[in-house]
Amino acid sequence: MKKFYIIHLIAVIFIVLNIINLKNLSLIDWDEGAFALQAKYFASAGAQGKPFNFQTPPLYQIIIALLFKIFGEHDLILPLISIISSVVVMYFIYFLGKNLYNEIIGVFATLLFVSTEFFFFFSKSGLSDAIFLMFFAGALYFFYQSIETNRIIYYLYCCLFTLLACYTKYTGPVLFLIFLFIAI
């Protein structure tokens, strides 16, 4: 259980560094701007923004639109979604590694994940990758839990997270193949 505190420490350091750096973050990618404009379009019922056909399912843009309605239209909302999602992914990876193997493997899997270039870029971008990975990792974690415990609540969480992943990116349906291989 003491090793679990390492995950908390990593999460706190990550959050603090990103909060400090938040004022330096901006939407630098065309896709980030398109997500923000589409979310403004949804949030304003078509009065602002652009109705892009962005070739992705609309869940991420709808989440941004809801947050725009609650907190106002701030570009920082997009990287905040990624930062929060990335922290949740750290915990999913830790618990999946811990449950599959042991606590040390869970910590090492998390450390390996947070040291990747993928994590460094997407964990604070305004793109949908971090929230998609959160849904994807959550679906895998709850699928494993449902098999291990045979509790219906984990099956339901797995279904919810799978559905959310599929409505965030078109690569979400690969989860069904992964579930099939895990189940076999």
Side-chain angles (χ1 to χ4, degrees):
M1 186 63 182
K2 290 182 181 181
K3 291 169 187 60
F4 183 58
Y5 293 115
I6 294 171
I7 303 305
H8 292 316
L9 179 63
I10 294 167
V12 167
I13 290 170
F14 173 74
I15 291 169
V16 168
L17 290 176
N18 280 295
I19 296 295
I20 290 169
N21 194 37
L22 201 56
K23 67 181 183 295
N24 298 325
L25 293 178
S26 63
L27 302 181
I28 59 171
D29 186 275
W30 185 89
D31 291 349
E32 292 173 321
F35 281 133
L37 285 174
Q38 193 173 21
K40 286 180 184 180
Y41 181 79
F42 289 146
S44 67
Q48 295 179 305
K50 300 271 186 208
F52 288 108
N53 179 2
F54 201 55
Q55 306 303 323
T56 64
L59 181 61
Y60 181 57
Q61 298 90 309
I62 291 169
I63 291 169
I64 298 166
L66 290 172
L67 293 173
F68 279 177
K69 286 295 253 185
I70 295 168
F71 299 109
E73 294 178 2
H74 303 287
D75 288 343
L76 291 179
I77 287 176
L78 282 78
L80 276 173
I81 292 170
S82 292
I83 291 167
I84 293 165
S85 298
S86 296
V87 169
V88 174
V89 171
M90 284 186 230
Y91 285 96
F92 279 137
I93 289 174
Y94 167 76
F95 284 116
L96 194 56
K98 177 184 174 235
N99 292 345
L100 283 169
Y101 300 102
N102 60 46
E103 195 172 25
I104 293 171
I105 297 297
V107 169
F108 281 124
T110 306
L111 288 171
L112 180 62
F113 171 68
V114 300
S115 66
T116 63
E117 189 174 329
F118 177 87
F119 180 79
F120 285 121
F121 177 73
F122 289 113
S123 65
K124 55 186 164 276
S125 76
L127 300 172
S128 60
D129 297 271
I131 196 165
F132 169 73
L133 187 58
M134 179 185 72
F135 295 143
F136 194 96
L140 289 175
Y141 172 75
F142 289 120
F143 185 72
Y144 175 78
Q145 286 297 102
S146 67
I147 290 171
E148 286 296 306
T149 64
N150 201 28
R151 293 185 58 207
I152 191 72
I153 190 71
Y154 291 123
Y155 287 109
L156 294 174
Y157 285 145
C158 174
C159 291
L160 174 65
F161 276 76
T162 301
L163 183 67
L164 293 172
C166 289
Y167 278 101
T168 304
K169 282 190 161 295
Y170 286 125
T171 51
V174 77
L175 278 165
F176 298 110
L177 290 174
I178 294 169
F179 296 155
L180 177 66
F181 287 120
I182 292 172
I184 290 173

